[in-house]
């Protein structure tokens, strides 16, 4: 069963491995993952060495959740090697790519995971900022989201203001109609009173 799960991870994902939850050290890597990361046999490496700095907290949360028995996943930007370069070395052959890291089993202090690549990779250059192009795009998207949220808030405020104006207009129109109705009633009452006065004046004349 365990061999079947490993084989499934190998064929259904772009790589798999085992990480120590306490230290983050990569204890085992599949051939596909080792090729993707550019690791060499016998080298001690940590999984978060290959994760862009902005995404490392998400990886650490995934590991912490795994220690409590909650298996999940996280989308991370990882450095993938085109020429076997390690992170921190010459980045001219380094590429970055979004990936989904899925924790599928916890055994003692070890977390087994598989990795699925998402989208297309982008190159990292010598002069690239440490935050990576993905982080810049995330900042831009966040700014757009904030601007959109503000715009939506303004639209809601305008709708509420228009609704209040319409409500005030309706109330004003209703008050005007009520005033007209009261004036009509007063006019009718005055006309009735005038008519009664006329009748009272005519009665003595008829008696004579």
């Amino acid at each position: 069963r365990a061999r079947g799960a490993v084989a499934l991870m190998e064929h259904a994902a772009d790589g798999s491995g085992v990480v120590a939850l306490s230290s983050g050290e990569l204890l085992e890597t599949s051939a596909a993952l080792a090729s993707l990361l550019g690791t060499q046999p016998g080298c001690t490496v940590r999984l978060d060495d290959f994760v862009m700095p902005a995404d490392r907290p998400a990886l650490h949360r995934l590991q912490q959740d795994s220690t409590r028995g909650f298996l999940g996943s996280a989308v991370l930007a990882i450095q993938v090697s085109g020429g076997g370069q390690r992170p921190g070395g010459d980045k001219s052959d380094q590429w970055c790519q979004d990936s989904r890291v899925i924790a599928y089993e916890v055994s003692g202090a070890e977390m087994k995971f598989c990795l699925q690549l998402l989208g297309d990779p982008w190159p990292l250059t010598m002069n690239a900022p440490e935050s990576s192009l993905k982080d810049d795009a995330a900042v831009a998207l966040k700014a757009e989201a904030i601007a959109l949220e503000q715009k939506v808030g303004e639209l809601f405020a305008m709708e509420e203001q228009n609704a209040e104006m319409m409500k005030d207009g309706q109330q004003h129109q209703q008050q005007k109609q009520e005033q007209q109705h009261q004036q009509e009633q007063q006019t009718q009452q005055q006309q009735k009173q005038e008519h009664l006065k006329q009748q009272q004046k005519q009665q003595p004349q008829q008696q004579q």
Side-chain angles (χ1 to χ4, degrees):
R1 183 177 178 180
R3 291 179 181 177
V6 172
L8 179 63
M9 293 302 104
E10 281 289 327
H11 291 87
D14 296 294
S16 61
V18 180
V19 63
L21 291 172
S22 58
S23 63
E25 180 183 345
L26 271 174
L27 303 176
E28 296 179 20
T29 57
S30 65
L33 184 60
S35 175
L36 181 68
L37 301 179
T39 58
Q40 301 297 329
C43 293
T44 301
V45 293
R46 291 164 51 91
L47 180 59
D48 59 6
D49 287 339
F50 299 90
V51 178
M52 299 306 293
D55 289 342
R56 288 173 186 169
L59 173 62
H60 297 160
R61 284 194 298 271
L62 178 63
Q63 293 173 338
Q64 290 171 1
D65 290 342
S66 298
T67 61
R68 297 192 292 268
F70 299 104
L71 300 179
S73 66
V75 176
L76 313 170
I78 63 170
Q79 294 182 33
V80 294
S81 178
Q85 295 291 334
R86 281 287 315 283
D90 185 358
K91 295 185 179 180
S92 59
D93 293 329
Q94 287 287 324
W95 292 74
C96 194
Q97 186 165 2
D98 286 334
S99 64
R100 183 181 297 278
V101 175
I102 305 170
Y104 66 90
E105 184 180 340
V106 172
S107 177
E110 300 175 356
M111 181 186 78
K112 297 181 180 180
F113 68 94
C114 65
L115 181 145
Q116 295 175 332
L117 295 176
L118 307 173
D120 297 322
W122 62 89
L124 291 175
T125 63
M126 287 290 291
N127 297 324
E130 190 176 281
S131 59
S132 85
L133 300 178
K134 183 201 172 195
D135 298 335
D136 295 338
V139 171
L141 288 174
K142 185 175 181 180
E144 291 179 4
I146 293 174
L148 180 60
E149 185 177 357
Q150 291 176 345
K151 188 66 176 177
V152 170
E154 292 174 359
L155 291 174
F156 274 119
M158 289 177 61
E159 288 183 0
E160 290 179 357
Q161 185 177 3
N162 291 335
E164 289 294 331
M165 291 176 63
M166 290 179 62
K167 184 178 179 180
D168 293 340
Q170 291 175 352
Q171 290 178 348
H172 178 71
Q173 184 67 22
Q174 185 177 359
Q175 290 175 354
K176 188 175 179 180
Q177 291 176 353
E178 290 177 354
Q179 289 176 355
Q180 290 178 349
H181 182 65
Q182 290 177 357
Q183 289 177 355
E184 290 176 356
Q185 287 183 335
Q186 290 176 356
T187 302
Q188 291 176 358
Q189 188 68 24
Q190 290 175 355
Q191 290 176 350
K192 287 181 180 179
Q193 291 177 354
E194 290 294 332
H195 182 68
L196 288 174
K197 288 180 180 178
Q198 290 294 333
Q199 287 181 341
Q200 290 175 355
K201 288 181 180 180
Q202 290 175 359
Q203 286 179 356
Q205 293 178 357
Q206 290 177 358
Q207 291 176 357
Q208 292 177 358

